[in-house]
């Protein structure tokens, strides 16, 4: 092995571990404050129950709405300046906005900070795109799966840590400070992510001038299969929508199974966490399998298994069976989003990674908003079981889309 090759390999692994940790902390930072955001808002003024629910919903949705709007702009800039700079921008601004949120005087201030945070977000997306460009193709499936586990693990740890910190500092300091301190801690951690990304991540990137950049329409037209890329965008949106449609109703669904129980919150937390655990357990093995047989086969299998699993979820009356089924769903999820990202990686020119992955992030953000509205709306007009039936049908529809548009000649291997 030549010296240059050795240095490249060393830089690749160091960048991967740094970005994995950065994505973990970013995922944790996003989810860390969500369990008590409504409690924090209620302490900032004399708000009615309706106002608290409205502001809490806006604080959650604004981040995703902003992502959907501005991601294409950041993607274009990423192709000009590189993905590492975009990771630095996202982590730096997130450190600032989360810290400032801890100083919030009212609910509107929180909503505005969340919108700004979403407008400058994109660490995980750009970290994934950076590793897609730095990783040898034969390792793409494994790396994409591992990058997904980073955000998933962060989302698992975040609510638990946030709840523990808010409880500890609430008892120690009293008042709203129990909710403010976790914001300051998260802001500090994101500043550490900014520093580590700045000093430890290397990107072999050739800048593209604005004059030489191809218009997005021309890039899409030059892709080996534009239908395949669009199918992956749709997959990202539908898979994210399927995930988010269940999250708002999990605790309420568990409560309906256990009327009068005093352990609803604990069991609902376990049920909510099991998909992430399943994804973490299976991600590495599924990633290696993607590298062996190709991501499209794995994606199709994940979608059909996911669609099937939602049927018994709608029929069960046991929260423990529901938890087990959601654990299996987490395993199927490890075969969905990473597979779609791997297909994008293998079918996108390196000079267009930024824009393609940014559009993918926009579809993911749209899916998050649609999924939340879907779950809340269907459960409100019908019942909780109907949410599972509709979500399962959504994944089945996604499976059919892949069958139609991702035929053998489109397969990347």
């Amino acid at each position: 092995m030549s010296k240059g090759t050795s240095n490249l390999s060393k830089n690749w692994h160091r960048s991967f571990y740094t970005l994995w940790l950065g994505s973990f902390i970013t995922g944790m930072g996003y989810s860390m404050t969500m369990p008590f955001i409504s409690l924090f808002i209620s302490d900032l003024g004399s708000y009615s129950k309706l106002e608290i629910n409205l502001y809490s919903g806006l604080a959650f949705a604004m981040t995703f709405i902003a992502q959907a709007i501005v991601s294409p702009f950041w993607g274009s800039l990423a192709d000009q300046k590189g993905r590492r700079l975009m990771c630095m921008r996202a982590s730096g601004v997130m450190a600032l906005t989360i810290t400032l949120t801890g100083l919030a005087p009212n609910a509107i201030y929180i909503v505005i900070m969340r919108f700004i945070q979403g407008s400058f977000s994109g660490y995980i997306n750009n970290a994934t795109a950076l590793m897609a460009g730095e990783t040898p193709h034969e390792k793409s499936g494994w790396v994409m799966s591992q990058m997904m586990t980073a955000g998933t693990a962060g989302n698992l740890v975040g609510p638990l840590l946030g709840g523990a910190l808010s409880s500890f500092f609430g008892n120690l300091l009293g008042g709203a400070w129990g909710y403010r301190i976790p914001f300051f801690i998260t802001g500090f951690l994101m500043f550490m992510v900014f520093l580590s990304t700045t000093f430890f991540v290397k990107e072999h990137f050739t800048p593209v001038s604005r004059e030489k950049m191809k218009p997005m329409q021309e890039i899409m037209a030059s892709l080996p299969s534009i239908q395949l890329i669009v199918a992956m965008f749709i997959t990202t949106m539908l898979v994210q929508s399927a995930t988010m449609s269940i999250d708002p109703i999990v605790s309420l669904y568990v409560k309906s199974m256990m009327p009068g129980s005093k352990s609803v919150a604990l069991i609902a937390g376990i049920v909510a966490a099991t998909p992430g655990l399943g994804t973490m357990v299976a991600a590495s093995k599924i990633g290696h399998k993607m590298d062996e047989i190709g991501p499209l086969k794995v994606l199709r299998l994940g979608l059909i298994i996911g669609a099937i699993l939602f049927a018994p979820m709608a029929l069960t009356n046991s929260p423990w069976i529901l938890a087990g089924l959601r654990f299996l769903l987490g395993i199927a999820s490890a075969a969905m989003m990473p597979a779609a990202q791997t297909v994008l990686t293998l079918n996108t020119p390196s000079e267009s990674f930024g824009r393609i992955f940014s559009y993918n992030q926009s579809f993911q953000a749209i899916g998050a908003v649609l999924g939340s509205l879907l779950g809340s709306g269907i459960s409100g007009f019908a019942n909780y079981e109907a949410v599972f039936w509709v979500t399962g049908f959504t994944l089945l529809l996604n499976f059919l889309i892949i069958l139609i548009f991702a035929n053998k000649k489109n397969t990347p291997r």
Side-chain angles (χ1 to χ4, degrees):
M1 179 181 291
S2 69
K3 183 178 180 180
T5 304
S6 176
N7 288 337
L8 178 60
S9 176
K10 179 181 178 181
N11 289 338
W12 172 73
H13 284 95
R14 185 175 65 180
S15 296
F16 168 70
Y17 293 128
T18 302
L19 292 172
W20 191 96
L21 182 61
S23 296
F24 169 80
I25 294 175
T26 300
M28 185 180 70
Y30 271 121
S31 61
M32 189 173 173
T33 57
M34 291 314 295
F36 58 82
I37 194 82
S38 58
L39 299 175
F40 185 31
I41 289 174
S42 67
D43 269 8
L44 296 178
S46 301
Y47 300 113
S48 67
K49 181 180 179 181
L50 176 61
E51 288 174 324
I52 292 173
N53 289 335
L54 175 62
Y55 285 131
S56 299
L58 284 175
F60 177 81
M62 277 300 176
T63 301
F64 297 107
I65 292 172
Q67 284 179 355
I69 295 171
V70 304
S71 286
F73 166 75
W74 292 124
S76 177
L77 195 61
D79 285 337
Q80 296 178 59
K81 305 295 184 180
R83 268 68 70 177
R84 175 175 164 273
L85 185 61
M86 295 300 101
C87 288
M88 292 165 57
R89 177 262 305 162
S91 56
V93 174
M94 188 173 174
L96 179 62
T97 54
I98 287 183
T99 301
L100 291 176
T101 302
L103 301 172
N106 54 55
I108 293 293
Y109 180 96
I110 292 178
V111 173
I112 293 173
M113 284 296 107
R114 294 281 295 179
F115 183 83
I116 295 173
Q117 181 178 320
S119 298
F120 287 85
S121 66
Y123 185 94
I124 296 176
N125 176 263
N126 280 285
T128 302
L130 192 156
M131 289 313 306
E134 296 290 307
T135 306
H137 276 191
E138 64 271 14
K139 296 287 186 179
S140 291
W142 181 81
V143 169
M144 293 300 103
S145 295
Q146 292 303 307
M147 292 303 293
M148 179 181 177
T149 65
T152 300
N155 286 329
L156 275 175
V157 173
L160 299 176
L161 182 60
L165 288 174
S166 62
S167 177
F168 174 77
F169 285 108
N171 293 329
L172 183 66
L173 302 175
W177 282 104
Y179 305 128
R180 295 183 187 276
I181 297 296
F183 285 97
F184 300 148
I185 293 175
T186 306
F188 173 76
L189 290 175
M190 287 309 304
F191 182 64
M192 292 297 101
V193 171
F194 169 79
L195 292 178
S196 63
T197 303
T198 301
F199 294 108
F200 298 131
V201 173
K202 302 296 181 184
E203 181 181 16
H204 298 84
F205 176 76
T206 303
V208 180
S209 66
R210 181 184 295 271
E211 294 75 20
K212 293 183 179 180
M213 285 186 66
K214 296 179 181 178
M216 194 62 196
Q217 184 177 1
E218 185 177 339
I219 288 175
M220 295 296 286
S222 66
L223 294 173
S225 173
I226 186 173
Q227 289 185 340
L228 181 63
I229 300 301
V230 171
M232 293 307 106
F233 288 162
I234 294 173
T235 295
T236 296
M237 181 181 69
L238 293 181
V239 169
Q240 185 69 16
S241 178
T243 301
M244 297 303 298
S245 68
I246 305 304
D247 285 354
I249 67 159
V250 164
S251 58
L252 298 173
Y253 191 37
V254 170
K255 184 177 180 180
S256 71
M257 297 177 182
M258 307 172 62
S261 173
K262 295 182 179 180
S263 57
V264 170
L266 173 62
I267 296 175
I270 294 173
V271 173
T274 48
L277 292 174
T279 297
M280 291 177 62
V281 167
S284 181
K285 188 172 183 62
I286 290 177
H288 284 303
K289 183 59 66 176
M290 266 192 275
D291 291 328
E292 292 176 16
I293 67 174
L296 281 175
K297 291 180 181 178
V298 173
L299 175 58
R300 287 193 289 264
L301 185 62
L303 287 170
I304 197 65
I305 292 175
I308 292 172
L309 285 171
F310 275 103
M313 286 185 207
L315 298 173
T316 185
N317 291 315
S318 167
W320 299 113
I321 293 177
L322 178 63
L325 291 169
R326 281 174 60 78
F327 178 84
L328 296 177
L329 180 66
I331 295 176
S333 295
M336 289 189 270
M337 197 73 81
Q341 291 176 334
T342 302
V343 173
L344 289 176
T345 298
L346 299 178
N347 289 272
T348 302
S350 59
E351 66 270 13
S352 305
F353 270 158
R355 277 173 287 177
I356 292 296
F357 271 79
S358 70
Y359 273 84
N360 198 54
Q361 185 184 23
S362 289
F363 276 89
Q364 186 174 354
I366 293 170
V369 175
L370 290 178
S372 299
L373 296 175
L374 185 72
S376 301
I378 293 176
S379 62
F381 287 104
N383 51 48
Y384 300 130
E385 291 83 357
V387 179
F388 290 89
W389 287 114
V390 172
T391 303
F393 177 77
T394 299
L395 291 182
L396 181 60
L397 176 63
N398 199 164
F399 173 77
L400 295 176
I401 290 173
I402 298 300
L403 282 184
I404 294 171
F405 292 107
N407 51 47
K408 288 185 177 181
K409 71 178 182 179
N410 299 133
T411 306
R413 50 166 43 200

